[in-house]
Amino acid sequence: MSLHKSLPRTLWTFGQPCPSLTSSSPADGISRPPLPAMAVLPLLLCLLPLAPASSPPQPASPSPCPRRCRCQTQSLPLSVLCPGAGLLFVPPSLDRRAAELRLADNFIATVRRRDLANMTGLLHLSLSRNTIRHVAAGAFSDLRALRALHLDGNRLTSLGEGQLRGLVNLRHLILSNNQLAALAAGALDDCAETLEDLDLSYNNLEQLPWEALGRLGNVNTLGLDHNLLASVPAGAFSRLHKLARLDMTSNRLTTIPPDPLFSRLPLLARPRGSPASALVLAFGGNPLHCNCELVWLRRLAREDDLEACASPPALGGRYFWAVGEEEFVCEPPVVTHRSPPLAVPAGRPAALRCRAVGDPEPRVRWVSPQGRLLGNSSRARAFPNGTLELLVTEPGDGGIFTCIAANAAGEATAAVELTVGPPPPPQLANSTSCDPPRDGEPDALTPPSAASASASAKAAEAGPPTDRGVQVTEHGATAALIQWPDQRPIPGIRMYQIQYNSSADDILVYRMIPAESSSFLLTDLASGRTYDLCVLAVYEDSATGLTATRPVGCNRFSTEPALRPCGAPHAPFLGGTMIIALGGVIVASVLVFIFVLLMRYKVHGGQPPGKTKASAPVSSVCSQTNGALGPMPAPPAPEPSAPRAHTVVQLDCEPWGPSHEPMGP
């Protein structure tokens, strides 16, 4: 009870003076009893240091600024500036809270995955003018807030699909002045919807993922200048509705196809003074071929610029905008060469050729005898040069094939006949009907046969007339002897020039012949082909003093078809023959061996070889029982004249062998 009664007197609150530890007060001098135990507790609390109930969290200490860098960390946004600091790699002690990081004009060679990890607040990153050759896949995957990335002035050769992964808010991508030769189709997938500025100028790009570029719906500026682009597909920019500037200067473009984007907006040469909706198109420095395909561009209203025509020769070097629309003309295609009627056995390949010229260069297509358009398939291949190759012919492939050459000015057609015969009979290995010349052996020249003469006549009918001044007197499968009349009356003649090409291609072959010659042996011909050949006399023109040529004559001839080399027997036939031959050799060897054994057996009298026939067979060796065990010497041969004495001698006979040797006395 005394303890509970004393509690009210000993209560103490914070803010009041601490009570005295003694039981007496010097003020009144009255002695009091000792303080209870519960009264000491407030006194102890009074002596403890008072701490605030709650304290606000202190900000984390910033990372130290890398050497040779300037860091702005006192106020937001944070920035790390290291231009021209001589860095060989991205500093590892970067402040991951930075919003701007400038590492331009250094010697950084690679960007690793960990270099920019966890920099989720970075907005601007500059890596310009370094020596970067490699960017690791996912190196920018944490930079989801990045707005601008500068990688210009480095040594990048390609850009893959994973190197720009994670840049979902990127707006400005500068990749100029690198060595880019390849850009992956999916390289820009993550930033396709946000990208506004893409600079790919001053690289080595020959091709671009045009389909991927067509998905950049928000792009305003597209720089493709100073590359190696040779063509642009039609409609490549049709979906770029916000495009304001397109630079394609200094490429290898010969033509620019019309695009719906160009027809919607007025095109101006320079941005100065142009309305906001105008599209600035720059295409100077390209070898433009000024024909009817560029009339659409010539009709667009724009200021004068320095674009010039490179071809055709009549317009070469003239300013593009100074050429009248009526001068942008095209030439319709003309078929200049087609394969003669061709006959092949079934199962063999066949090549149909068609050549055409025109402006622009015509595109050649083939139509089958059944009216189907032919292309690349399992049985046929169509080449850009106009050749159609049938890999395996069938009896139903025969007929008239149609070659169609078309360009912007029109089209031309030509028919090629193909005859597919029965398959050839199998050739035997010992056949004498196929005997090709050995390697290095010259082809034997023979006068033209009736068949080859008729073939040459048909070829002459199909082509230009043959000049009888140049004669092909003898020819074989790979050689021909050319003769022409003497041209000594031509003053100042220096030499003769022979030009020829085959029906298989349009490449001219030239041969220079001394002026004293009137014949020449061609030895590099192909068998079974038709050749067009002309002879020209090269002389010095006395009037001008220049070298001139005068045609001597032309001729068309066909070489003999080559004899097919004997093919090796089929593998099953060859294997069976070898097995039979080997079995025959083994059987013959066994028979010869048996015959030799029989002959040797007969020669030796029915006994095994190595044993001879004795005069008296002796099966045992006998010794006289006179107390000695040695062998008895052979008795001397009896004399026929002396009478034979009959003496009875007891003999002990024992078998003689290796285990019974004579013993000494």
Side-chain angles (χ1 to χ4, degrees):
M1 290 296 294
S2 61
L3 179 61
H4 291 286
K5 290 181 180 180
S6 62
L7 280 177
R9 295 189 298 109
T10 59
L11 290 178
W12 171 83
T13 59
F14 289 102
Q16 295 180 356
C18 294
S20 175
L21 297 178
T22 60
S23 60
S24 61
S25 174
D28 52 8
I30 301 173
S31 177
R32 294 185 176 89
L35 293 176
M38 293 297 297
V40 180
L41 181 60
L43 184 60
L44 295 178
L45 294 176
C46 179
L47 297 178
L48 293 176
L50 300 179
S54 64
S55 59
Q58 296 293 333
S61 59
S63 300
C65 188
R67 292 187 57 187
R68 302 180 183 178
C69 298
R70 292 182 292 108
C71 300
Q72 177 64 34
T73 58
Q74 301 300 325
S75 61
L76 298 178
L78 306 180
S79 60
V80 179
L81 310 178
C82 307
L87 300 176
L88 300 179
F89 47 84
V90 177
S93 58
L94 291 175
D95 194 335
R96 302 295 162 174
R97 303 171 301 160
E100 181 181 10
L101 176 59
R102 297 187 180 182
L103 299 172
D105 299 302
N106 284 286
F107 303 97
I108 300 173
T110 182
V111 180
R112 298 165 295 184
R113 175 67 180 84
R114 63 177 181 271
D115 289 340
L116 303 172
N118 299 325
M119 300 189 71
T120 55
L122 191 63
L123 300 177
H124 183 93
L125 174 60
S126 176
L127 291 166
S128 304
R129 296 176 298 279
N130 278 274
T131 60
I132 298 175
R133 296 178 180 270
H134 175 67
V135 175
F140 307 122
S141 59
D142 290 347
L143 311 183
R144 295 189 171 272
L146 192 68
R147 303 292 182 87
L149 174 60
H150 293 259
L151 283 169
D152 53 296
N154 285 284
R155 301 178 183 178
L156 295 173
T157 58
S158 63
L159 202 60
E161 297 185 356
Q163 292 174 300
L164 299 180
R165 187 189 307 132
L167 301 178
V168 294
N169 288 303
L170 190 66
R171 296 182 180 179
H172 306 279
L173 178 59
I174 312 301
L175 294 168
S176 59
N177 287 284
N178 276 277
Q179 302 171 8
L180 288 176
L183 183 65
L188 306 176
D189 284 352
D190 286 2
C191 55
E193 298 181 357
T194 59
L195 200 61
E196 299 177 359
D197 183 12
L198 177 60
D199 190 357
L200 295 171
S201 60
Y202 291 92
N203 281 287
N204 300 325
L205 294 170
E206 297 182 1
Q207 295 289 336
L208 282 174
W210 297 105
E211 184 65 26
L213 292 181
R215 295 195 296 266
L216 304 179
N218 290 318
V219 68
N220 296 322
T221 304
L222 182 58
L224 304 176
D225 55 291
H226 295 87
N227 278 283
L228 305 176
L229 301 176
S231 63
V232 176
F237 312 109
S238 59
R239 292 179 289 176
L240 306 184
H241 304 289
K242 296 184 179 181
L243 188 63
R245 186 178 187 277
L246 175 61
D247 193 351
M248 295 189 296
T249 59
S250 299
N251 277 278
R252 296 179 179 179
L253 299 175
T254 58
T255 186
I256 300 176
D259 196 283
L261 177 67
F262 302 151
S263 61
R264 287 197 306 267
L265 300 176
L267 273 74
L268 300 177
R270 301 178 182 88
R272 182 181 302 173
S274 60
S277 61
L279 171 65
V280 179
L281 173 64
F283 57 92
N286 286 286
L288 297 177
H289 184 67
C290 297
N291 59 4
C292 64
E293 292 183 315
L294 290 179
V295 173
W296 71 272
L297 185 59
R298 178 62 182 84
R299 291 174 180 172
L300 295 176
R302 58 174 288 168
E303 300 177 10
D304 189 16
D305 206 354
L306 299 180
E307 290 89 358
C309 296
S311 59
L315 301 179
R318 294 179 58 182
Y319 289 116
F320 181 84
W321 304 105
V323 179
E325 292 184 19
E326 67 279 358
E327 298 183 72
F328 288 84
V329 295
C330 291
E331 298 179 2
V334 177
V335 177
T336 59
H337 174 76
R338 58 190 173 113
S339 298
L342 185 63
V344 296
R348 299 290 175 81
L352 308 180
R353 294 177 174 85
C354 181
R355 301 288 187 274
V357 295
D359 186 14
E361 183 178 358
R363 179 185 176 187
V364 177
R365 294 172 295 173
W366 287 90
V367 177
S368 68
Q370 293 78 22
R372 298 193 307 269
L373 186 65
L374 298 177
N376 293 328
S377 64
S378 59
R379 295 186 57 245
R381 288 186 298 178
F383 295 92
N385 62 356
T387 300
L388 176 66
E389 183 178 4
L390 302 177
L391 303 179
V392 179
T393 56
E394 297 179 356
D397 293 337
I400 303 298
F401 287 79
T402 305
C403 162
I404 302 176
N407 64 3
E411 65 179 29
T413 61
V416 177
E417 183 179 1
L418 175 65
T419 303
V420 181
Q427 296 179 351
L428 300 179
N430 58 353
S431 174
T432 58
S433 62
C434 48
D435 190 12
R438 298 188 180 95
D439 294 338
E441 207 176 273
D443 185 21
L445 298 182
T446 59
S449 61
S452 62
S454 62
S456 299
K458 291 181 180 179
E461 292 176 2
T466 301
D467 193 339
R468 298 300 177 183
V470 176
Q471 300 293 330
V472 181
T473 57
E474 297 179 357
H475 62 79
T478 59
L481 180 61
I482 312 300
Q483 293 183 350
W484 60 89
D486 190 9
Q487 303 293 320
R488 295 295 177 85
I490 300 178
I493 185 170
R494 294 183 175 181
M495 65 184 72
Y496 292 103
Q497 184 185 72
I498 296 180
Q499 303 177 1
Y500 62 94
N501 68 324
S502 71
S503 58
D505 54 60
D506 297 329
I507 301 175
L508 281 175
V509 183
Y510 298 89
R511 293 288 184 269
M512 297 299 181
I513 314 300
E516 297 80 12
S517 303
S518 60
S519 63
F520 185 74
L521 178 63
L522 297 177
T523 58
D524 57 350
L525 306 179
S527 59
R529 293 187 180 180
T530 302
Y531 284 87
D532 294 322
L533 180 141
C534 291
V535 180
L536 293 86
V538 182
Y539 67 98
E540 182 179 357
D541 191 355
S542 59
T544 61
L546 301 176
T547 301
T549 59
R550 176 180 299 180
V552 176
C554 298
N555 202 325
R556 173 174 286 187
F557 64 95
S558 298
T559 55
E560 299 287 345
L563 296 176
R564 290 185 57 82
C566 299
H570 295 293
F573 175 76
L574 183 61
T577 304
M578 293 298 297
I579 292 174
I580 294 175
L582 185 60
V585 171
I586 295 175
V587 172
S589 301
V590 172
L591 293 177
V592 169
F593 181 72
I594 295 174
F595 179 76
V596 170
L597 289 181
L598 291 176
M599 292 301 296
R600 293 184 64 182
Y601 186 78
K602 291 181 179 180
V603 168
H604 293 285
Q607 290 194 4
K611 294 185 179 181
T612 58
K613 192 180 218 180
S615 56
V618 178
S619 59
S620 61
V621 178
C622 302
S623 59
Q624 184 176 1
T625 56
N626 55 355
L629 297 176
M632 290 292 293
E639 296 181 2
S641 57
R644 184 182 300 266
H646 297 277
T647 307
V648 178
V649 180
Q650 184 179 358
L651 298 176
D652 294 331
C653 297
E654 295 179 0
W656 181 262
S659 60
H660 297 79
E661 296 182 359
M663 300 179 60

